[in-house]
Amino acid sequence: MQETRERVLDALVDGPVTGPELAERLDVSRAAVWKHVEALRDEGFDVESGSDGYAIDEFPEFGGSAVEYGLEAPFDVEFHESIPSTNARARDLAQEGADDVVVLADEQTGGRGRLDREWSSPSGGIWLSVLARPDIPATHAPAYTLAAAVAVARAAREAGVDARIKWPNDVVVPGTDADGEAVERKLAGVLTEMEGEADRVSWVIVGTGINANVDPGDLPSEAEPTTLRAETGDVDRRVFTQRVLEEFDDLREDLDAVVPAWREYATTLGKRVRVDTPGGEVVGEAVDVSFPGALVVDTGDERVTVTAGDCEHLRPVED
Ligand code: BTN
C-alpha cells in the first residue's frame, strides 16, 4: 500500500480525526487527504464523516488495502474484482521488475491449473498469485509450491477444516461419498511458474486457488471439489488471505522447514499411488517426500524418485 494511504488508514481506524488535523499530521494537503479517503471508500471501507471528523467503522470483506492492513508479511497487494488470471497479471508485473507483490482477485475468467487445465474461479474464492525474486537455484523452486500448499492447509486447519495435502500440492479434505466410500475432495491447488537460469531464479510466481466462499455445485464436478463454505461455512477472506500469506512468508524464509511441514499434513505417504510422469507411469507405495518436493515411490523392485507428475491414490492391494 502506498505509505500515505496506509497512514491515513491507520489514523481513521484510530479516529475520528478531522481532515485538517490529518493533513497537518501527515504533512500533506487537505485535497490529498480527501483523495485518500475517497480511494478507501472506493475500496469498500466504510469511512464515516461526522462532526468530529472521519472514522472507519467497518473493513471491506476483501480488497487490496484491507488485506495489506495488519498483514505481517512484506507484500503489496493488487486487488481485482475480476481478471482473466492472477498468474498472467503477475507475469506482466514480473516483466516490469516488480517484487513481493500479490495479485488477488474475487473472480477469474480465465484461471489456469496444472497441466494446462482450466481452473474454475467464480466470485467468492480466493485467487492469488505471489510474485517473488528469491535468491535460490531453479531446482529449489518446487519448495515454494509445497510452501504454498502448507500455508493454505494451515490456514484451513485454523478455520476448523481437516485439510491435508496430496502430492505435490493439492489441498484436500477427506470425506465419504454417497456410497460411504472414502474420498478426498479438493479445496485448493497451486500452480508455480518461474523464469531464470539454472543457478538462480529470476522470478517465481506461486499461483494459489482456494475454493473459499463458493458452493461446490458452482465448480466442475470432475475435479471432486470442496469449498470452505461447504466444510465450515463462509470465512472472512481478508483474514484467511492474510494467514496464508503470513505462513507462506515464514516458510519461504526457511525452505528447509517446508518438507517436514508438508509431511505433517501429507495424505499421500503410505498410500499406493499411480503417478503419470513425463517419463512414464510409476506405480507403488509412496514412502517419502524429499527436498525440494520429490515423491519417493517404492515399486516393489526399486525406489523411484518422481519430481513431477499427476498423482492418483489407489486402493490398497487385497492380500
Ligand atoms: C491446480 O491445477 O491444482 C492448480 C490451480 C491453480 C489455480 C490458481 S488460481 C490463482 C492463479 N491464477 C491462475 O490462473 N491459476 C492460479
Side-chain angles (χ1 to χ4, degrees):
M1 199 183 334
Q2 202 193 328
E3 202 193 320
T4 312
R5 175 86 39 87
E6 200 169 345
R7 294 179 65 205
V8 170
L9 183 50
D10 272 336
L12 298 184
V13 170
D14 294 341
V17 58
T18 66
E21 254 168 33
L22 202 48
E24 198 182 321
R25 211 190 288 170
L26 304 184
D27 197 19
V28 295
S29 67
R30 291 180 194 187
V33 167
W34 185 79
K35 204 183 77 195
H36 287 296
V37 167
E38 284 307 299
L40 288 168
R41 284 186 170 138
D42 283 349
E43 285 195 57
F45 287 88
D46 186 9
V47 185
E48 307 239 311
S49 71
S51 52
D52 301 346
Y54 297 117
I56 280 186
D57 254 3
E58 261 180 52
F59 270 45
E61 194 255 327
F62 214 27
S65 298
V67 170
E68 279 182 30
Y69 187 76
L71 174 67
E72 290 181 19
F75 299 115
D76 286 330
V77 181
E78 180 186 287
F79 178 75
H80 300 262
E81 295 284 349
S82 181
I83 193 171
S85 158
T86 57
N87 265 34
R89 171 65 187 147
R91 266 201 310 276
D92 290 344
L93 291 171
Q95 301 315 329
E96 292 167 18
D99 185 12
D100 277 355
V101 174
V102 173
V103 183
L104 177 68
D106 173 53
E107 173 195 63
Q108 292 185 121
T109 52
R112 304 308 307 170
R114 289 177 64 232
L115 309 170
D116 216 21
R117 294 179 183 137
E118 280 178 22
W119 180 263
S120 180
S121 323
S123 170
I126 299 174
W127 322 118
L128 67 86
S129 301
V130 180
L131 164 64
R133 297 179 183 276
D135 189 8
I136 57 169
T139 47
H140 289 188
Y144 263 61
T145 312
L146 265 57
V150 170
V152 174
R154 283 187 170 158
R157 296 180 79 84
E158 275 176 24
V161 177
D162 183 19
R164 318 273 181 95
I165 308 172
K166 172 171 176 266
W167 186 85
N169 44 50
D170 285 353
V171 180
V172 297
V173 183
T176 47
D177 67 12
D179 302 324
E181 295 281 342
V183 285
E184 287 171 339
R185 296 193 175 89
K186 183 157 165 173
L187 180 68
V190 186
L191 173 68
T192 299
E193 301 177 53
M194 67 168 168
E195 193 172 89
E197 310 296 322
D199 61 336
R200 204 176 160 273
V201 158
S202 163
W203 53 254
V204 53
I205 292 169
V206 185
T208 306
I210 307 163
N211 301 332
N213 301 341
V214 174
D215 286 327
D218 290 339
L219 299 169
S221 56
E222 317 81 81
E224 296 200 316
T226 190
T227 70
L228 291 173
R229 172 177 286 171
E231 298 293 338
T232 185
D234 281 4
V235 295
D236 181 329
R237 286 186 296 170
R238 179 176 79 85
V239 174
F240 196 94
T241 306
Q242 288 179 329
R243 291 299 301 122
V244 171
L245 295 176
E246 287 165 359
E247 286 289 344
F248 177 76
D249 183 50
D250 284 350
L251 287 162
R252 72 173 175 159
E253 294 303 326
D254 183 13
L255 281 189
D256 287 338
V258 171
V259 169
W262 187 97
R263 282 196 197 103
E264 236 181 278
Y265 309 119
T267 169
T268 303
L269 298 183
K271 289 217 169 76
R272 272 181 60 74
V273 295
R274 179 189 303 123
V275 193
D276 265 332
T277 79
E281 194 177 90
V282 178
V283 178
E285 186 188 345
V287 289
D288 198 12
V289 164
S290 62
F291 187 84
L295 187 67
V296 183
V297 180
D298 185 343
T299 65
D301 297 329
E302 56 176 345
R303 286 189 166 206
V304 181
T305 300
V306 182
T307 54
D310 217 15
C311 175
E312 190 189 343
H313 291 170
L314 304 174
R315 300 200 180 288
V317 184
E318 308 283 332
D319 288 328

